[in-house]
């Protein structure tokens, strides 16, 4: 290898440039350029603090800030040229700043390291992403609650083991996802609280001898406080892991809803329809209407969960403080959070777009002896029968109906009385699916009056607390 000038930003003790493969594995600019807005925000806050602390002159700080603003404008306009030779976003920005303002640019890096710089940038990025995710989750909740109110009385089968269990309402089913998403938002909110501490000023790992004001930079960047330990500040990525864990759980919830949409759209179920806006056709079968948006939303959980697992594995054996392994924290995190944003937008659109087939849902709700539990409850309530005995009696009545190939409410009173003579014609009042759902008035139950009340509560809550869980 021939002698070449070393990297001008850090190569003082190096006589030669890195090998080509070293440059290839070391460079992160291909993905960490996404941190440019956060990097510039952090640098502006740092420069202002350095000037107020008397570490650099106010004139230099003004030049640095003006230069950073111009760089931000170039990035926004798409005219900024990122160089792979400069490895990462930090050195690309600093190099361009030097071209613009000269030696004053070199004073910006006083009392900081790329270690605390990237930790700060990454926290800012994840915090920004969490705020955007919360807004998007709110939109999905709104779409679900709105549709739930409209279909509070639309009867459908409830399932366990994907077998007909008890009748529920479509609105009640949708509100289940509103509740899940509320917990998802809570997890992101909790993650945000814990990540909202500033690593800036931790320097490489030990802090700095310069009289910096970490409280000031933390406040300027919207953090609650500086991180209390410089080693922790530069070396942990639990904030990203926690956010990815929350993203994974959220994606699982959306995957379950997407799976139900896929099932419901099959001719065998025929419960819902999606318009052309969220379906695709086949290149060979002209009759097809495929729920591709739902299928892709279902699949994205793989990428998101993999990002969480990948970061856990990267971090699991790293000694304190910073190691270059941690460069692998960003690319998959960016991809996972981007994938989740896409899923949320697709799900909000699909929920608003889908229309239930009320007749098909109602017909399915009456099949599979789904009011058997209502019969058992009637026996307990009216005949004072122990539930286990009522369960056995009901099972025998279901068997009688099954033998005749009819539904429970089609079985004659005489046939039921062969199993339990005390049964009266009043039993038929609980055997229809409409009466079944109306009877489930316990808190959290599927009774239409409950669903209307809960849907409206959610809509008011969402309207009142825009941006809050």
């Amino acid at each position: 290898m021939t002698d070449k000038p070393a990297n001008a930003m850090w190569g003082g003790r190096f006589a030669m440039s890195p090998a080509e493969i070293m440059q290839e594995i070391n460079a992160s600019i291909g993905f960490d350029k996404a941190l440019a807005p956060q990097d510039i925000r952090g640098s502006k806050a740092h420069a202002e603090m350095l000037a107020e602390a008397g570490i650099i002159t106010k004139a230099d700080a003004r030049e640095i800030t003006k230069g950073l603003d111009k760089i931000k404008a170039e990035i926004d306009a798409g005219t900024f040229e990122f160089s792979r030779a400069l490895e990462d976003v930090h050195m690309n920005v600093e190099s361009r700043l030097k071209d613009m303002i000269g030696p004053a640019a070199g004073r910006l890096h006083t009392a900081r390291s790329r270690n605390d710089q990237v930790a700060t940038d990454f926290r800012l990025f994840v915090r920004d992403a969490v705020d955007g995710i919360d807004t998007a989750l709110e939109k999905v909740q709104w779409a679900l609650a709105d549709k739930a109110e409209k279909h509070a009385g639309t009867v459908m089968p409830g399932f366990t083991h994907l077998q007909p269990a008890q009748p529920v309402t479509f609105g009640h089913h949708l509100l289940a996802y509103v509740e899940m998403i509320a917990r998802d938002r809570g997890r992101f909110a909790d993650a945000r609280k814990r990540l909202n501490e500033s690593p800036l000023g931790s320097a490489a790992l030990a802090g700095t001898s310069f009289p910096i004001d970490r409280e000031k930079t933390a406040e300027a960047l919207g953090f609650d406080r500086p991180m209390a330990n410089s080693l922790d500040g530069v070396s942990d990525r639990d904030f990203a892991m926690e956010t990815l864990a929350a993203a994974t759980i959220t994606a699982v919830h959306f995957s379950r809803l997407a799976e139900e949409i896929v099932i419901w759209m099959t001719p065998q179920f025929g419960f819902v329809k999606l318009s052309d806006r969220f379906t695709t056709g086949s290149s060979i079968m002209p009759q097809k209407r495929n729920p591709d948006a739902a299928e892709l939303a279902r699949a994205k959980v793989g990428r998101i969960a993999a990002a969480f697992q990948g970061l856990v594995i990267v971090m699991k054996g790293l000694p304190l403080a910073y190691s270059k392994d941690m460069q692998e924290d960003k690319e998959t995190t960016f991809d996972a959070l981007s994938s989740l944003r896409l899923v949320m937008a697709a799900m909000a659109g699909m929920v608003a777009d889908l229309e239930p087939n009320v007749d098909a849902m109602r017909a399915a709700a009456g099949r599979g002896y789904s009011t058997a539990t209502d019969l058992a409850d009637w026996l307990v309530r009216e005949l004072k029968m122990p539930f286990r005995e009522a369960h056995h009696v009901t099972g025998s009545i279901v068997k009688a109906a099954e033998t005749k190939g009819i539904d429970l409410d089609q079985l004659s009173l005489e046939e039921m009385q062969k199993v339990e003579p005390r049964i009266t014609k009043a039993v038929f009042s609980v055997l229809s699916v409409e009466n079944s759902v109306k009877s489930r008035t316990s808190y959290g139950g599927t009774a239409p009056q409950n669903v209307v009340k809960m849907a409206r509560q959610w809509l008011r809550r969402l309207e009142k607390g825009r941006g809050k869980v």
Side-chain angles (χ1 to χ4, degrees), residues 42-54 56 58 61 64-65 108 216-217 220:
S43 290
K44 289 172 68 175
H46 186 65
E48 182 180 348
M49 179 277 295
L50 290 176
E52 291 198 9
I56 66 174
K58 291 186 176 180
I64 289 169
T65 298
L108 173 59
K216 179 173 179 57
T217 50

Side-chain angles (χ1 to χ4, degrees), residues 157 164-165 268-269 271 360-371 407 433:
Q268 292 79 1
F269 276 74
F271 284 2
M361 283 185 169
R362 167 62 181 82
R367 292 194 290 267
Y369 310 104
S370 62
T371 58
D407 292 330
V433 292

